[in-house]
Amino acid sequence: GKTTICDELIKAGHRVVPEASRGAILEAQGRGFSSEEIFADRKLLANAIWNRKLEIARGLSPSERCVWDTGLVDSLVFCRLADCDLSRIEPAGRIYRYRSVALLEPLAHSRIIGDPVRPQTAHERILLHESLVEEYGRQKYQATRVGDGSIGDRLRAVLGA
């Protein structure tokens, strides 16, 4: 999946901005919160992830090429789905723009390895992906849609985006 592609990009020497949600969830678990407690307040989690990503974006040079595992637009979608106040989030999405976007289509259900940190059903993954496609379009990105395929094929498509 996406993590495998990011790992391959790192091996090839590309800078990858790691996914922020996993870090936020693991940090909360380290403070003694259970997964149930963390996911019970999706609004709080979505805002925490947004804040992490915004801090990362502010520290990057506009001339530096890097690949985001999940970008600010992704977090905007998470925040919208969690019914967060978007008044401070949407303007930042207009300030921090990407040169290109590759959206990886969800893998066939039989190829997905369970994620103990972020449990999602196949239905939730598909709804999230559809929301991402819609939001990137709303933000006027010409996203390259990367279909299911071999790691090499998907990697070439991401690099070609």
Side-chain angles (χ1 to χ4, degrees), residues 6-150:
C6 288
D7 290 345
E8 291 298 317
L9 288 165
I10 291 168
K11 286 181 199 173
H14 297 276
R15 169 130 190 240
V16 174
V17 176
E19 192 227 352
S21 65
R22 182 174 304 278
I25 294 165
L26 290 172
E27 183 180 295
Q29 287 173 336
R31 290 194 320 258
F33 291 95
S34 69
S35 291
E36 292 78 20
E37 290 171 315
I38 295 166
F39 287 99
D41 191 344
R42 291 197 182 256
K43 188 181 291 190
L44 181 64
L45 179 60
N47 275 305
I49 293 166
W50 170 263
N51 290 334
R52 279 175 174 255
K53 285 187 184 177
L54 188 57
E55 184 178 322
I56 292 167
R58 287 178 175 148
L60 294 174
S61 165
S63 62
E64 180 180 14
R65 181 176 185 197
C66 63
V67 177
W68 287 73
D69 184 319
T70 55
L72 287 169
V73 176
D74 300 55
S75 279
L76 171 62
V77 170
F78 302 151
C79 287
R80 181 172 281 122
L81 293 173
D83 200 30
C84 298
D85 175 11
L86 301 180
S87 63
R88 68 178 183 81
I89 293 171
E90 287 180 318
R94 290 188 288 274
I95 294 169
Y96 299 100
R97 301 275 303 168
Y98 307 120
R99 290 189 189 113
S100 63
V101 172
L103 287 173
L104 278 68
E105 299 290 334
L107 293 175
H109 186 68
S110 61
R111 293 186 56 199
I112 295 173
I113 298 170
D115 186 342
V117 177
R118 291 174 319 176
Q120 287 178 318
T121 67
H123 180 70
E124 288 171 327
R125 279 191 294 276
I126 290 168
L127 286 176
L128 176 59
H129 181 74
E130 290 171 355
S131 296
L132 290 170
V133 170
E134 184 179 309
E135 185 62 38
Y136 276 100
R138 188 176 310 140
Q139 300 255 346
K140 307 292 189 228
Y141 284 101
Q142 298 295 317
T144 299
R145 308 263 309 255
V146 179
D148 195 349
S150 72

